[in-house]
Amino acid sequence: MFIYWNEIWTNPSSDELTNSSPASKPQDVAAGKSENQSNQQEQCDLSENGTKIKSKTKKKASLSALSAKRDCKPRPFGKEGVNFTYAKHNMLKPESGVVDMISPCHEYKSFAIAAKLDNQRLQAKLAKETFKFACGCMNMRTNGTIHFGVMDSVNDSGYVHGEIIGIPITDKDVYVDALDYMNKCFKSDSDLAAECIRPPEFIEVSDIDSTEKYYVVEIDIVPKISTVCNKLFSVCLPNFREDSNKVEFEKKTVYYRNGSKTEPISNQEEFYSSLRHKDELRKEAENDHAVPDVSVDLGRKLAVLITDGKGKIEKEKWHIVVTNRFQEEHLKFIDFLLDLKILCVFDFDPDSKASGLCKKYLEHHATNLHFLQNYKMPDQMSIKDFEGELHLFEQVSWIFCNGRNDFRGNETPCDEMTWIKTRKSFLKEAVRLICKQILPNGTFSVIFFLTSPVELPIVHTFHEFFAEMQGHDDIICISESEENYSKWEGFAQSSCTAQTVQSKSISGMKMSHVNATIQQLQPSRTRVFKHLPVFSKGVCRLEKVEEERMSSIEILSVDHCDDIKIDSEVEIKIIEENFYRGGKVSWMNFWLSEKKHVGEFIQRDTYKEIYKSISDLPKWSIKQPDVHDLRIYHKPGSGGSTVARQVLWNNRKNFRCAVARTSFSASKVAEHAVRLREYEEDDVQKCLPVLLLVEDIDTEYLEDLRRELESAIRTRKIKQGTLCFILLSCRQSREPEKMCKESPSQNFSVTHKLSVEEKKEFERKKTEVEKQYSADYIITFVLMHEEFNKQYIIKFVKDLLDGINHADIVTRLILYVALLNTYVQNSYLSQSHCEALLRTMQTNTGQRPAERFRRHLFESSLSEQAKVLFIHLRDEKTHIQNIRILHPLIAKEVLHQLLGNDQQQSDIAMKLLKEDVLFQNNFGNQDYYRFLQDLCMRRNKISKGDKSDTSFSPLIEHILNKENQEKVFEVLKAACTRFNEYPFIVQQLVRLWRTMEKLQAAEQWVDL
């Protein structure tokens, strides 16, 4: 548990404030250093014989404080203050008089000077103001609240009426004990007064600048008719006399509420005669006040928040969980969390690993356990390497934000004050890193679970995410306890309005109901058991935890995709259409075909050859290699990857099948492949072979993987001639037929050319899909049917680009992507880069980016031509969206036709290298830099599957042959400048100078 409470950091968003600037911060106005008319009056009340004691200092509130003021609601009448919070400089409604007897009237006292007095003087002052107000309320038969720490009369103080300032309190008992004057003040009526005057409530005031705890002290008056009927109350108010140095009492006086003021009654007899009527009104008000609670449809609200109104949680969307201690009863209802796609958990429970949420989660999933400082990225490390070091996107990162009680190292839990001093900065770095470099805005949501009383560090986490995410759109708060939520709402108002917090929160919904509601909205259930084939021809269960521990391979189970819920024909159409447009084949495509939801999958001739080759492999032969190689070489966009995955899909019941994630080292992939082979088998000599697909890797990686596998086989002393692994590699090649001839028994080719049998299959399929989809949206399939006929491509591109606006920034984006896709294999632009470029148009036209570039609106910002040309890809690891053109041959033709006679390819390359906004974008910049560097310096090599060896990159060769030398120098110089004299680009430039026999210039660059 955290012991101390301190300041709250805040960075209010400009669209959340009415009269504020995001840059402005409210300045702390220390109690006792600000004077106003009310404060002076307080001092005057404490003086003797009318002699006024005035403060010698006066300080106005800063303009930044004034700019951050927001209206806010008072603590609900009669509720405990421990579950409520005020934000400093927010404003309560003006003081009020009698309304309907039940709605409380309000009176404010700044109490800034009195709070600094000694206990005796302070208590006298507090009792005087409280009993005077209470007497007025009791005589008027109205509920009321007097607030200490809220500005009343302000004049030129820089404050506004009702502004929350708070008072520093170190000992609450001093304020509670002030009501002990009740017996002497109300005398014979003291018992009745005690029933009406409630004990003080201490409402914490959040303040970003203060290192002290500030509170508003509120005392409720509840004159129930059973207590006050037929009674007129008088009071003797206490005053501390400086001359006698003691408290003395004023003469007995009867007070009433006159509007927003408490004043003495001038005509007691007349007032007393009206008491009966007031009693009747009070009695009626009490009887009428029991209004039933209005039922709120929390289930629907939760569904809208968690799905963004889409009816189902997106499979690709990441979630970040922030939580304090889960109670035992809540741990029974976390099934929805087990099925949620979680990137990381910010856990403030130091016992979570031993007995809390983490322990429960580990029973079902593998996680990586971290502390906040693990998210401090070294200066020289790339974001991709950092993600790999933390295993982000592979397994859940569980961050213990306040240490662990079960950890032997120096990570013990600490109190709140120490946490703020030692760990808050690490939290800030972690949140910034996630929001600015790891996940683009809109690709994730943050869910706060308030399952224990709210403590300040979790509130800091809210403010950090609110600031870094630039608003609340993807932040959700869930709290079963309304008391916990009430306090949370008060703290959150340092960053946003109460209405904003309420709109994104679920309060008062049982965790069991939350669990059931969210489960209905999830696209799949991760805890539906998967199965693998076994040597004995049966199956075994693949535990989710074990699957996640083999994170370097994607395992294909016997019942793969059976856990996915398909609710409509629209979902099926979207999946199939994406494939026919040129998107990468998914396991869902095969599953839909297998389950007869869509038509049969075309089987290319190469698929049949590979399938037969694998089927003919003996399980044991003295000549059989332990690791068997099969290689697919394919032209870009010819369907090689589809063939390879189709081989795996249709062999998943006969072999243990997996796809290597080549971002991992070969040794790690080999380790997990071996574990997959031996999983749930008792004898290493009797295991099914593993069919392992390895895509788009170089020969060195494949050889390293083979050596690691062979080493593992020797270590386990597996009998020679036992088939253990089949390595199916799939690589792009400009001349796949040539590569196939080098080793006909192991190498296979996939090209754009179709056999007679394949043409029949494609013609049948084309007739089938044309009935369901527009021709533009199955263009890649149609092109394959046409064997990528050049004239067909030219006509398609010409018709598509007819009437395109060449000056539009979207057209510039098309040119950039076309240039990359033409010359750099497997290149793309992240959607984040595309959005950054399109925002420049809005800036230039005066539009607000937020109005157009909210999540899911990217595609609506594109021209009709771009919508047809661009295919949306998702990173298989992060699921972040990327953009490329449907096919490299289409990209090449688009580049040619868009340039026309007015521009050359070097012009587009120069613009791309000078497009600052693309280099300033944080997300996906490592891949973007690599693509541009390859564009300028990667040479063709026959050994890499290219048609010929080249001296320079294909783009540079094109500029040399089709344009002129000076253009080449301009492009390479621009690349050198952009990449800070990157040695390999400098090398290209030097080689070019030497080729042109300009040795002096070459020597100058060599010196760099």
Side-chain angles (χ1 to χ4, degrees):
M1 289 289 291
F2 293 100
I3 301 169
Y4 302 101
W5 291 70
N6 207 354
E7 87 277 11
I8 288 184
W9 175 92
T10 180
N11 184 6
S13 172
S14 58
D15 60 356
E16 291 291 342
L17 305 180
T18 53
N19 296 304
S20 66
S21 165
S24 64
K25 284 188 177 182
Q27 299 292 316
D28 176 42
V29 183
K33 293 185 179 179
S34 176
E35 279 294 337
N36 52 49
Q37 185 177 354
S38 175
N39 294 344
Q40 293 168 15
Q41 181 62 44
E42 290 172 8
Q43 289 286 54
C44 292
D45 289 336
L46 295 168
S47 66
E48 180 186 8
N49 297 325
T51 304
K52 296 183 179 180
I53 306 172
K54 297 185 178 180
S55 173
K56 297 180 180 178
T57 59
K58 185 172 183 178
K59 179 180 177 182
K60 289 187 178 182
S62 66
L63 289 176
S64 60
L66 289 171
S67 67
K69 295 177 173 66
R70 297 189 191 91
D71 290 335
C72 69
K73 295 180 179 179
R75 170 186 56 88
F77 185 76
K79 298 291 184 180
E80 291 185 1
V82 70
N83 298 315
F84 199 76
T85 312
Y86 288 128
K88 190 167 185 176
H89 300 302
N90 279 1
M91 299 175 297
L92 296 172
K93 290 182 178 179
E95 294 171 302
S96 59
V98 179
V99 181
D100 57 8
M101 305 293 188
I102 301 299
S103 299
C105 52
H106 294 273
E107 186 164 304
Y108 306 143
K109 299 295 176 184
S110 72
F111 219 61
I113 295 174
K116 296 184 66 179
L117 299 173
D118 60 57
N119 291 352
Q120 193 176 20
R121 290 175 172 82
L122 184 152
Q123 289 177 331
K125 176 61 178 172
L126 183 81
K128 176 180 180 179
E129 297 294 349
T130 300
F131 296 154
K132 178 181 177 182
F133 174 76
C135 183
C137 290
M138 291 188 294
N139 284 330
M140 295 298 292
R141 307 309 194 237
T142 182
N143 291 345
T145 302
I146 184 168
H147 308 251
F148 297 93
V150 178
M151 297 306 296
D152 46 346
S153 181
V154 294
N155 288 348
D156 290 330
S157 65
Y159 298 106
V160 295
H161 184 79
E163 183 175 346
I164 294 166
I165 300 300
I167 49 181
I169 297 177
T170 55
D171 186 355
K172 295 179 182 178
D173 286 343
V174 172
Y175 288 77
V176 174
D177 295 343
L179 300 189
D180 291 346
Y181 282 110
M182 196 175 303
N183 289 334
K184 294 181 180 179
C185 292
F186 285 97
K187 299 184 183 300
S188 61
D189 293 330
S190 60
D191 289 342
L192 297 177
E195 290 185 40
C196 299
I197 303 171
R198 300 292 167 85
E201 296 292 343
F202 299 88
I203 297 87
E204 190 167 351
V205 176
S206 63
D207 180 9
I208 62 170
D209 297 323
S210 176
T211 56
E212 293 183 85
K213 290 186 136 190
Y214 278 68
Y215 296 88
V216 169
V217 180
E218 297 183 345
I219 299 174
D220 292 336
I221 314 300
V222 187
K224 291 186 176 181
I225 189 62
S226 58
T227 303
V228 300
C229 187
N230 294 323
K231 189 69 180 176
L232 183 66
F233 293 90
S234 60
V235 64
C236 301
L237 298 179
N239 264 322
F240 187 88
R241 292 182 61 88
E242 295 295 336
D243 57 349
S244 62
N245 197 34
K246 66 178 182 180
V247 175
E248 297 184 358
F249 295 88
E250 297 178 2
K251 66 178 181 179
K252 184 186 296 186
T253 307
V254 179
Y255 291 94
Y256 79 116
R257 290 291 290 176
N258 182 14
S260 62
K261 298 179 180 180
T262 303
E263 297 178 344
I265 295 174
S266 57
N267 189 333
Q268 292 188 22
E269 290 185 6
E270 181 181 340
F271 187 87
Y272 187 81
S273 65
S274 67
L275 277 183
R276 178 173 293 183
H277 179 61
K278 289 182 174 60
D279 287 343
E280 290 175 357
L281 292 176
R282 175 74 194 192
K283 185 176 181 179
E284 289 176 9
E286 288 182 7
N287 292 334
D288 296 342
H289 188 60
V291 180
D293 291 337
V294 178
S295 176
V296 179
D297 192 346
L298 292 178
R300 182 180 181 279
K301 183 179 181 183
L302 177 59
V304 171
L305 290 178
I306 203 79
T307 67
D308 294 323
K310 295 181 177 180
K312 182 182 285 189
I313 297 172
E314 296 176 89
K315 288 183 292 185
E316 299 84 4
K317 187 162 187 175
W318 290 98
H319 298 85
I320 294 172
V321 172
V322 186
T323 182
N324 49 14
R325 187 186 301 274
F326 259 68
Q327 305 301 318
E328 186 66 32
E329 62 269 23
H330 295 148
L331 291 174
K332 301 173 185 176
F333 306 110
I334 64 166
D335 293 342
F336 72 100
L337 278 178
L338 302 178
D339 295 332
L340 208 59
K341 192 178 185 65
I342 297 175
L343 177 75
C344 60
V345 177
F346 286 80
D347 195 338
F348 287 90
D349 177 11
D351 295 311
S352 184
K353 171 69 165 56
S355 59
L357 180 62
C358 183
K359 179 186 178 183
K360 192 75 173 178
Y361 194 87
L362 283 169
E363 294 174 5
H364 304 275
H365 290 280
T367 66
N368 288 290
L369 307 184
H370 296 124
F371 297 105
L372 284 171
Q373 54 265 44
N374 294 129
Y375 274 74
K376 184 175 177 64
M377 188 171 70
D379 292 337
Q380 302 305 316
M381 183 178 282
S382 70
I383 190 63
K384 278 204 167 184
D385 290 341
F386 185 73
E387 290 172 359
E389 185 176 276
L390 294 186
H391 300 286
L392 295 179
F393 303 108
E394 301 159 20
Q395 297 169 352
V396 173
S397 172
W398 207 282
I399 310 168
F400 291 89
C401 300
N402 189 34
R404 280 169 54 190
N405 280 324
D406 63 325
F407 189 69
R408 294 182 180 179
N410 188 26
E411 284 295 338
T412 56
C414 59
D415 60 61
E416 183 176 23
M417 186 74 74
T418 305
W419 187 93
I420 291 171
K421 292 177 181 177
T422 61
R423 288 174 174 159
K424 179 183 171 183
S425 60
F426 290 118
L427 171 77
K428 191 178 184 72
E429 278 194 74
V431 173
R432 172 169 280 272
L433 185 72
I434 290 169
C435 297
K436 298 302 183 187
Q437 296 195 57
I438 294 177
L439 287 174
N441 212 0
T443 63
F444 69 101
S445 65
V446 182
I447 308 176
F448 285 81
F449 290 98
L450 309 178
T451 50
S452 294
V454 175
E455 296 169 332
L456 191 55
I458 197 172
V459 179
H460 277 279
T461 310
F462 169 78
H463 292 305
E464 295 295 345
F465 272 113
F466 189 93
E468 296 298 344
M469 294 169 69
Q470 300 175 337
H472 61 274
D473 283 351
D474 291 297
I475 298 178
I476 305 168
C477 169
I478 298 175
S479 176
E480 178 176 312
S481 163
E482 294 189 17
E483 289 77 15
N484 289 346
Y485 172 75
S486 180
K487 188 142 197 169
W488 170 265
E489 182 182 307
F491 275 121
Q493 289 181 57
S494 293
S495 285
C496 55
T497 64
Q499 290 78 8
T500 294
V501 185
Q502 293 162 7
S503 69
K504 290 295 181 178
S505 299
I506 302 295
S507 171
M509 191 175 189
K510 294 179 66 174
M511 190 60 75
S512 58
H513 299 170
V514 170
N515 181 47
T517 301
I518 295 181
Q519 279 189 298
Q520 289 183 328
L521 305 169
Q522 291 176 312
S524 63
R525 300 285 301 278
T526 61
R527 294 187 307 120
V528 171
F529 297 115
K530 298 180 180 179
H531 298 86
L532 295 176
V534 296
F535 186 81
S536 61
K537 303 301 181 183
V539 295
C540 69
R541 181 188 293 176
L542 175 60
E543 299 291 346
K544 187 65 179 178
V545 174
E546 293 301 321
E547 181 184 4
E548 291 174 346
R549 286 173 181 161
M550 294 182 273
S551 56
S552 69
I553 56 177
E554 179 191 5
I555 301 171
L556 194 59
S557 63
V558 168
D559 39 16
H560 211 76
C561 295
D562 285 355
D563 60 321
I564 296 176
K565 297 181 287 188
I566 297 292
D567 294 334
S568 68
E569 291 296 322
V570 174
E571 290 183 63
I572 295 174
K573 187 173 182 179
I574 290 171
I575 294 169
E576 195 173 26
E577 185 180 274
N578 184 67
F579 172 62
Y580 288 126
R581 287 194 69 223
K584 191 169 185 176
V585 71
S586 69
W587 302 125
M588 276 299 297
N589 292 117
F590 298 121
W591 183 85
L592 289 171
S593 177
E594 188 176 274
K595 299 297 181 182
K596 309 299 182 184
H597 291 294
V598 298
E600 292 184 7
F601 230 87
I602 293 175
Q603 294 184 352
R604 299 287 300 270
D605 290 350
T606 303
Y607 160 78
K608 296 173 183 176
E609 292 171 10
I610 298 171
Y611 189 88
K612 182 177 185 305
S613 179
I614 292 174
S615 300
D616 291 344
L617 288 173
K619 297 298 182 288
W620 182 88
S621 170
I622 194 65
K623 295 182 180 180
Q624 172 70 51
D626 303 321
V627 182
H628 189 82
D629 273 326
L630 296 174
R631 308 180 192 93
I632 299 174
Y633 293 95
H634 63 99
K635 285 192 173 182
S638 63
S641 179
T642 301
V643 168
R645 287 176 177 256
Q646 192 175 15
V647 169
L648 256 68
W649 180 262
N650 289 331
N651 276 289
R652 72 191 191 282
K653 297 179 181 179
N654 306 317
F655 300 91
R656 294 200 169 174
C657 298
V659 181
R661 293 179 170 129
T662 53
S663 58
F664 289 84
S665 67
S667 62
K668 182 59 70 174
V669 172
E671 175 192 332
H672 291 164
V674 170
R675 187 184 298 180
L676 174 62
R677 179 181 180 271
E678 298 172 358
Y679 179 75
E680 285 291 298
E681 296 284 13
D682 296 327
D683 188 351
V684 295
Q685 306 292 343
K686 296 179 180 180
C687 299
L688 288 178
V690 172
L691 176 55
L692 184 63
L693 174 60
V694 189
E695 295 182 287
D696 298 324
I697 42 80
D698 54 31
T699 305
E700 290 79 10
Y701 186 96
L702 199 61
E703 288 303 315
D704 288 344
L705 180 57
R706 163 187 276 282
R707 282 193 293 271
E708 293 286 347
L709 292 172
E710 289 173 341
S711 175
I713 292 169
R714 288 194 300 272
T715 302
R716 284 160 173 73
K717 298 180 180 179
I718 296 174
K719 185 178 178 181
Q720 184 179 352
T722 301
L723 179 62
C724 297
F725 299 95
I726 304 170
L727 287 185
L728 178 62
S729 60
C730 183
R731 293 178 59 190
Q732 290 187 8
S733 172
R734 300 291 181 183
E735 293 191 314
E737 298 98 331
K738 181 179 177 181
M739 303 299 293
C740 185
K741 290 177 182 177
E742 291 181 1
S743 181
S745 62
Q746 290 183 297
N747 293 359
F748 302 86
S749 65
V750 180
T751 67
H752 297 143
K753 189 172 179 60
L754 304 177
S755 68
V756 174
E757 190 62 33
E758 285 176 330
K759 285 181 180 178
K760 291 180 182 178
E761 286 294 307
F762 270 85
E763 183 62 38
R764 177 188 60 78
K765 194 68 176 178
K766 179 171 177 283
T767 303
E768 177 187 317
V769 298
E770 281 181 335
K771 294 177 182 179
Q772 304 175 57
Y773 305 105
S774 164
D776 282 346
Y777 288 93
I778 57 170
I779 184 60
T780 303
F781 177 80
V782 174
L783 284 172
M784 289 189 71
H785 173 267
E786 299 292 333
E787 299 182 82
F788 288 88
N789 178 277
K790 185 173 182 180
Q791 293 306 313
Y792 189 93
I793 294 174
I794 291 173
K795 182 178 185 305
F796 164 74
V797 173
K798 183 179 180 182
D799 292 344
L800 179 66
L801 299 183
D802 184 42
I804 194 171
N805 181 359
H806 287 266
D808 188 11
I809 197 166
V810 178
T811 306
R812 194 200 315 172
L813 176 61
I814 294 174
L815 275 169
Y816 288 162
V817 179
L819 183 70
L820 288 173
N821 291 171
T822 298
Y823 288 109
V824 182
Q825 285 186 10
N826 302 319
S827 59
Y828 52 79
L829 270 186
S830 74
Q831 182 170 314
S832 179
H833 277 86
C834 298
E835 291 172 346
L837 181 66
L838 298 183
R839 282 193 195 99
T840 61
M841 173 189 68
Q842 295 182 325
T843 302
N844 294 336
T845 58
Q847 288 180 277
R848 287 185 62 201
E851 291 175 357
R852 188 176 180 189
F853 281 95
R854 293 192 186 278
R855 187 161 27 95
H856 311 307
L857 296 183
F858 166 69
E859 191 159 337
S860 65
S861 303
L862 300 176
S863 62
E864 291 304 313
Q865 294 86 352
K867 289 178 183 177
V868 174
L869 285 171
F870 288 158
I871 185 78
H872 295 250
L873 309 172
R874 286 192 184 271
D875 187 287
E876 291 186 352
K877 184 176 180 182
T878 67
H879 295 286
I880 293 173
Q881 286 262 28
N882 299 309
I883 307 298
R884 69 164 170 81
I885 286 178
L886 295 170
H887 194 278
L889 294 178
I890 296 177
K892 183 177 181 180
E893 186 59 31
V894 167
L895 183 64
H896 172 72
Q897 291 194 28
L898 277 181
L899 288 176
N901 298 321
D902 299 327
Q903 295 184 88
Q904 295 179 309
Q905 291 187 15
S906 61
D907 298 328
I908 301 303
M910 288 293 290
K911 288 180 180 178
L912 185 55
L913 287 166
K914 293 182 177 181
E915 196 73 71
D916 290 340
V917 69
L918 296 180
F919 287 89
Q920 293 162 359
N921 188 65
N922 288 326
F923 300 102
N925 57 8
Q926 194 169 346
D927 287 340
Y928 179 65
Y929 293 170
R930 176 168 56 84
F931 293 149
L932 258 65
Q933 289 166 359
D934 285 353
L935 182 69
C936 296
M937 68 183 195
R938 187 189 180 280
R939 293 178 282 169
N940 281 350
K941 293 183 179 179
I942 296 175
S943 61
K944 298 286 187 181
D946 296 315
K947 288 185 177 180
S948 61
D949 291 330
T950 60
S951 300
F952 300 97
S953 74
L955 173 66
I956 299 302
E957 293 273 347
H958 170 87
I959 299 172
L960 274 172
N961 296 329
K962 302 293 185 179
E963 299 181 30
N964 58 64
Q965 295 178 10
E966 292 305 316
K967 292 283 189 179
V968 175
F969 291 130
E970 287 180 16
V971 171
L972 287 178
K973 284 180 181 178
C976 285
T977 301
R978 173 57 73 182
F979 293 106
N980 299 316
E981 279 75 46
Y982 182 55
F984 291 105
I985 298 180
V986 173
Q987 187 182 62
Q988 299 296 308
L989 188 55
V990 170
R991 288 177 58 251
L992 183 63
W993 286 118
R994 287 176 175 170
T995 301
M996 303 304 166
E997 297 183 353
K998 298 184 178 182
L999 300 180
Q1000 184 177 357
E1003 289 172 358
Q1004 291 176 355
W1005 281 92
V1006 167
D1007 291 338
L1008 292 175

